[in-house]
Amino acid sequence: MTGCDFHGLGPFADNLTNAMRGKLALRLTKACAAAPEARPAAIALGRVAEPARRAEALALLNAMPSLPRRFVISRYAALSKLSKE
């Protein structure tokens, strides 16, 4: 691990309703669309309400090389900021 971890991002939090988790997962899926390495994780995020799929997406995202991982995290942050404006 090189400092960028997806565990703290919204879709992976334990205390969310499925509706809120789905909204955050959609945002992360959009961020993943910009990195081809993240495509399998984006597919797993399609059923983020299922704990096994959520764990699979998290493992896939954390296993990506450092550069695409950082890119997806920064893109997710930018999308989060845009949604608050």
Side-chain angles (χ1 to χ4, degrees), residues 3 6 10 18-19 22 36-37 40-41 43 45 48 50 53 67 72 81:
F6 288 88
N18 283 337
E37 298 90 338
I43 292 168
L45 284 168
V48 74
E50 298 175 23
R53 296 290 287 194
L67 189 58
V72 169
K81 183 179 177 184

Side-chain angles (χ1 to χ4, degrees), residues 7-37:
H7 196 309
L9 293 184
F12 305 111
D14 291 330
N15 59 347
L16 293 176
T17 63
N18 283 337
M20 187 59 164
R21 186 182 315 279
K23 181 179 176 183
L24 295 171
L26 180 60
R27 193 175 298 153
L28 184 54
T29 300
K30 288 178 183 178
C32 289
E37 298 90 338

Side-chain angles (χ1 to χ4, degrees), residues 44-73:
L45 284 168
R47 293 195 307 226
V48 74
E50 298 175 23
R53 296 290 287 194
R54 203 164 47 243
E56 178 187 359
L58 181 61
L60 289 166
L61 287 167
N62 283 329
M64 287 190 319
S66 179
L67 189 58
R69 197 173 343 142
R70 289 173 192 262
F71 182 75
V72 169
I73 288 176

